[in-house]
Amino acid sequence: MNVFPPSVSLEFARHKTAPPLKTSDATEPATLSSSDSLEVTKFVAALVCSHTTAPLPVREKLAIEPDKAGEFYARLRAIPGIEETVVLNTCNRVEIYVVATGTAEQTLCDNILQGLAGFRSLATGVVAAHCRWLTSDAVIRHLFHVTAGVDSQMVGETEILGQAREAYADALVRKSSGATLNRIFQKSFQAAAWAHTHTLIGRGQVSIGNVAVELATRIFGKLGSCRVLVLGTGEVGRKTAQAFASRGAPSPSVASRTFENARHLAESISGNAIPLELALSSFNKFDIIIGSATASSPLITAASVHDTIQARAGEALFLIDLGLPRNFSPDAGTIPGVYLYNLDDLSTIANENLRTRQASVELAKKSLDEKASRLMKRLSQSTGDGQAIASCVNTP
């Protein structure tokens, strides 16, 4: 990646090795006597892979393509014991929430791990090394943190709330979520709204779009003469395109495999819709390219970027890769004149002002945890069918 002029100081986070998968020890497991050690109650659990457990190259391998979501849900429903499930699949996380009964916790964990690994053609051990297994109120606390944005790479961002709502709505359509997960997810949305209303966790530039625009102005100055191309029409790409349009980028071009989607987004930002094939063959005409398309391999390679830079006669090219898997070859960032930033890079920059908001973040986490504990207590007393929710850990 090229560095900015001396006046711009950017520091990038190093990925730490994720801890091996283990059952969450955030709460005490339910204690069972020897006489009922084989009796298993209904419990809530989650397999979590996110930016906190896996680097970008691993996350992009685990990402589930939208057109394969139905197949993955079918695989989950085939696992013994699962009664409800919601899959939260975003650019920074793959999380599988389940309610189960009639199975041991470790067995369920192993089955879900094997199911995800097999679905993504990865070794189970590789997936396990970059996941966490949560049960009981640890699940609720985690989801509350996620929807409120305090577990996000860009702490305090609000895009994740919309993504969680979409994931939940999708599970409802598939008749995969039931009474317990319905209540947990709905309460998480309420908790997120409370956190953003009553704390300062969202103060400052904490969206990918805002950060990308700020970087663009550092490179090009004013955006009035910049030519912007948006690849893909997903929520993150859409909001980033809107951020550029609102800051003066004239008539951004939008390209998508589905032209109608491109046209709809282009109209909302006073831009132009173009076919994806045309955009990829003529991207040398653009100064800023936002990649947010669903693609199994890079849409723009380092070789094509090299040719483009030569044709641009020294003009800078800003590539913003919001895709997972990535839209641009990582090697393109080593080419002189190219500024390539991915999700991890943008998140690090966004969190430069986190220190000033840390007190608000801690207050939000404490309040969210209290709300999660109260919800778990009510769920433990009685679910819709009168069966207790508990952690399914057999303690000797």
Side-chain angles (χ1 to χ4, degrees), residues 48-347:
V48 173
C49 175
S50 71
H51 64 96
T52 65
T53 65
L56 184 58
V58 174
R59 299 201 308 272
E60 67 181 350
K61 291 179 181 178
L62 286 173
I64 301 169
E65 298 92 332
D67 60 350
K68 294 183 178 179
E71 181 182 347
F72 185 60
Y73 264 104
R75 182 172 293 217
L76 290 176
R77 284 194 292 267
I79 295 176
I82 290 183
E83 295 184 349
E84 305 176 31
T85 183
V86 175
V87 177
L88 177 57
N89 179 51
T90 75
C91 55
N92 274 326
R93 63 184 70 243
V94 175
E95 301 188 346
I96 303 166
Y97 295 84
V98 300
V99 172
T101 189
T103 184
E105 178 188 311
Q106 188 59 56
T107 300
L108 180 66
C109 176
D110 292 343
N111 286 339
I112 294 177
L113 270 174
Q114 292 168 8
L116 177 59
F119 190 76
R120 301 305 300 149
S121 299
L122 297 170
T124 303
V126 172
V127 178
H130 294 94
C131 290
R132 287 189 298 150
W133 177 248
L134 307 176
T135 60
S136 193
D137 49 344
V139 177
I140 303 176
R141 284 200 302 272
H142 175 75
L143 181 60
F144 279 26
H145 286 195
V146 168
T147 56
V150 297
D151 189 65
S152 296
Q153 274 190 303
M154 295 188 183
V155 177
E157 55 94 2
T158 58
E159 283 91 346
I160 185 60
L161 178 56
Q163 293 168 330
R165 288 183 186 277
E166 290 180 359
Y168 171 60
D170 181 58
L172 287 178
V173 170
R174 299 179 189 279
K175 301 185 184 306
S176 182
S177 182
T180 301
L181 287 183
N182 287 349
R183 191 171 182 184
I184 291 173
F185 270 82
Q186 290 166 8
K187 288 295 183 181
S188 78
F189 303 149
Q190 295 174 14
W194 178 92
H196 282 279
T197 301
H198 293 87
T199 72
L200 300 177
I201 58 174
R203 184 175 62 183
Q205 292 186 331
V206 289
S207 75
I208 288 176
N210 286 337
V211 173
V213 168
E214 176 63 24
L215 289 175
T217 58
R218 296 182 188 183
I219 299 171
F220 300 104
K222 294 183 178 180
L223 302 179
S225 60
C226 291
R227 297 155 295 183
V228 178
L229 171 63
V230 184
L231 303 175
T233 56
E235 181 179 5
V236 177
R238 175 175 56 81
K239 289 190 174 182
T240 303
Q242 291 170 341
F244 273 93
S246 68
R247 293 284 290 273
S251 301
S253 296
V254 182
S256 173
R257 289 187 176 86
T258 305
F259 187 78
E260 185 62 23
N261 291 344
R263 185 187 65 79
H264 182 71
L265 175 56
E267 288 180 351
S268 71
I269 57 175
S270 300
N272 304 298
I274 59 177
L276 182 60
E277 294 76 12
L278 177 60
L280 295 178
S281 64
S282 59
F283 73 88
N284 62 304
K285 298 178 180 179
F286 298 92
D287 306 301
I288 302 168
I289 305 177
I290 304 165
S292 62
T294 300
S296 57
S297 60
L299 297 176
I300 296 179
T301 64
S304 60
V305 171
H306 182 271
D307 294 341
T308 290
I309 282 295
Q310 290 186 326
R312 288 172 63 83
E315 292 184 4
L317 177 63
F318 185 24
L319 303 177
I320 307 166
D321 199 341
L322 309 179
L324 199 71
R326 284 170 281 188
N327 284 192
F328 309 131
S329 172
D331 293 341
T334 64
I335 300 172
V338 177
Y339 298 90
L340 171 60
Y341 286 81
N342 60 35
L343 286 163
D344 287 356
D345 302 331
L346 295 174
S347 299

